[in-house]
Amino acid sequence: MKPLYDLGVLPVRYRTGKGFKPHISLTFNAEKNLTFAIDTTNSSLSPDSYLITHAHSDHNGKSVMHSERAVCSEETARALEILYGKKYAGRTFKVGDTIDIAGVKVNTYPTHHTIGSTAFFWENEVGTRILVTGDVKDAKDLPKCDLLVTEANYGDYDDPNCHFQDDISGFREAVKEYDGIALGAYAFGKAQRAVRLLRESGYYGMIGMDPASLALTEGLMDNAGQLCGLDGDCGIRIAALANLPAIQATKKFLLTCRRDYKVPTISISDHMDVNGLIGMVEQCAPQAVIVYHPGGHRPVKLAAYLNKMGVYSRALTQINNCIEI
Ligand SMILES: [Zn+2]
């Protein structure tokens, strides 16, 4: 761990009797010793802050939204409240704001993954610039840094499934009749992206949505246009995959870059492919990378690729600093 030691950052994983807690915490000096937990679950150790990059369930906002030490964007907090029907107890900011967390100046940047998704950036006492991205759809707004803590949802260069591009023209072609169409999409993230793409494609009519997608879209989008429930009078419906079979429609498509579904798919992702991830690393030009998400083998694969590029990289499973709690 020499490079991280030189950078003055100690990445830590917490472990209980049940196993590792998800994701990672970063301990560093900034006048005093501080720990920022990244997308982790609530812990009795009470870090100085729980940073929540976005409201997808695998980033654990549900667990830490009750803590006054939680920090996330206004939209992420609203999404968590809609998703879990509970009050968010932490602090919020507008994406792009600079905020003070435990005396540290933290810049925030959009990652274009979901509405409200945020990257966090700060410097420690020795001037190391730390950037934590969460999931990223577009890295164009991210700054240069010394330590990049990022994701590898599609991080395996040797896997053809990790190479894709959004098929916007295919999307427009598929929906152009604007009638009898059902689109399968995750309620948070993909469903709002689908609404935006439909509006950008020139469809201004009613869009029917399942209850969760409808609540999130109404709660998070200012310019969603006319929306209704799935049984409303509408030409286009958007629903979670599980609800798709029950919908009456002449054409059904799933919005995904995955290739393991029987329903016809349109390649629309909330993520970058592996080339996007590598491009982000080149753009941010870090001295070291920690790939902290998701589970499975892809973080190790991306870290191996980046190491070959000459960038010191470790996946979460290769980080051995562990605190038993
Ligand atoms: Zn996500």
Side-chain angles (χ1 to χ4, degrees):
M1 269 302 152
K2 185 88 172 27
L4 294 180
Y5 180 81
D6 287 348
L7 291 170
V9 183
L10 181 67
V12 181
R13 303 175 74 194
Y14 295 148
R15 186 163 59 191
T16 68
K18 291 186 203 151
F20 284 108
K21 283 188 159 282
H23 298 138
I24 198 158
S25 296
L26 301 177
T27 295
F28 57 96
N29 270 327
E31 292 192 351
K32 55 188 173 184
N33 197 23
L34 293 170
T35 298
F36 288 177
I38 317 293
D39 290 336
T40 65
T41 51
N42 211 325
S43 151
S44 56
L45 283 182
S46 282
D48 297 284
S49 182
Y50 292 107
L51 305 184
I52 310 171
T53 60
H54 65 290
H56 275 148
S57 59
D58 54 352
H59 292 258
N60 303 297
K62 183 184 181 184
S63 171
V64 297
M65 67 184 288
H66 313 292
S67 169
E68 288 175 5
R69 296 187 183 198
V71 180
C72 70
S73 70
E74 291 172 353
E75 294 93 340
T76 296
R78 208 176 311 140
L80 290 170
E81 291 186 339
I82 295 167
L83 282 163
Y84 302 116
K86 293 187 178 137
K87 192 102 190 83
Y88 173 78
R91 283 177 57 194
T92 60
F93 55 84
K94 286 194 198 319
V95 179
D97 282 356
T98 298
I99 50 173
D100 183 299
I101 305 177
V104 180
K105 197 176 86 163
V106 177
N107 297 345
T108 63
Y109 300 91
T111 65
H112 307 281
H113 167 65
T114 65
I115 292 175
S117 62
T118 308
F120 297 91
F121 174 97
W122 70 94
E123 279 186 31
N124 68 5
E125 204 167 72
V126 294
T128 298
R129 299 164 300 170
I130 301 163
L131 177 66
V132 174
T133 69
D135 293 344
V136 185
K137 171 63 177 173
D138 190 332
K140 66 181 178 196
D141 296 313
L142 300 180
K144 288 204 178 337
C145 64
D146 301 302
L147 171 63
L148 176 66
V149 180
T150 194
E151 55 116 339
N153 276 278
Y154 294 94
D156 182 356
Y157 194 85
D158 298 324
D159 182 346
N161 292 311
C162 292
H163 294 259
F164 55 78
Q165 285 187 323
D166 280 350
D167 184 8
I168 303 295
S169 57
F171 178 87
R172 291 192 172 160
E173 180 65 26
V175 303
K176 68 177 184 214
E177 288 147 33
Y178 298 142
D179 195 29
I181 291 157
L183 302 173
Y186 295 120
F188 178 54
K190 198 67 71 69
Q192 291 78 46
R193 190 177 297 280
V195 169
R196 184 165 59 73
L197 287 171
L198 284 168
R199 297 313 185 202
E200 287 172 358
S201 305
Y203 177 67
Y204 302 110
M206 192 77 90
I207 299 173
M209 305 186 88
D210 64 32
S213 304
L214 183 61
L216 286 159
T217 306
E218 285 182 335
L220 295 167
M221 285 182 79
D222 290 332
N223 44 4
Q226 290 183 298
L227 307 172
C228 64
L230 284 177
D231 49 7
D233 181 16
C234 53
I236 298 186
R237 291 175 171 80
I238 299 171
L241 177 60
N243 298 328
L244 210 52
I247 295 177
Q248 296 284 338
T250 46
K251 287 187 194 166
K252 293 183 185 181
F253 302 96
L254 194 57
L255 303 183
T256 182
C257 289
R258 289 177 53 167
R259 291 156 193 168
D260 50 350
Y261 288 107
K262 292 201 180 100
V263 190
T265 61
I266 303 170
S267 184
I268 298 285
S269 181
D270 288 331
H271 290 275
M272 300 193 291
D273 76 347
V274 67
N275 299 298
L277 292 167
I278 294 164
M280 171 178 64
V281 173
E282 287 169 341
Q283 177 193 314
C284 296
Q287 296 176 49
V289 177
I290 296 174
V291 188
Y292 84 113
H293 178 76
H297 67 282
R298 283 179 175 171
V300 174
K301 292 278 190 175
L302 182 63
Y305 191 96
L306 296 175
N307 278 308
K308 265 200 225 155
M309 275 172 56
V311 183
Y312 176 93
S313 302
R314 291 291 180 271
L316 192 63
T317 50
Q318 298 166 319
I319 288 177
N320 300 318
N321 310 314
C322 173
I323 295 178
E324 305 279 347
I325 53 175

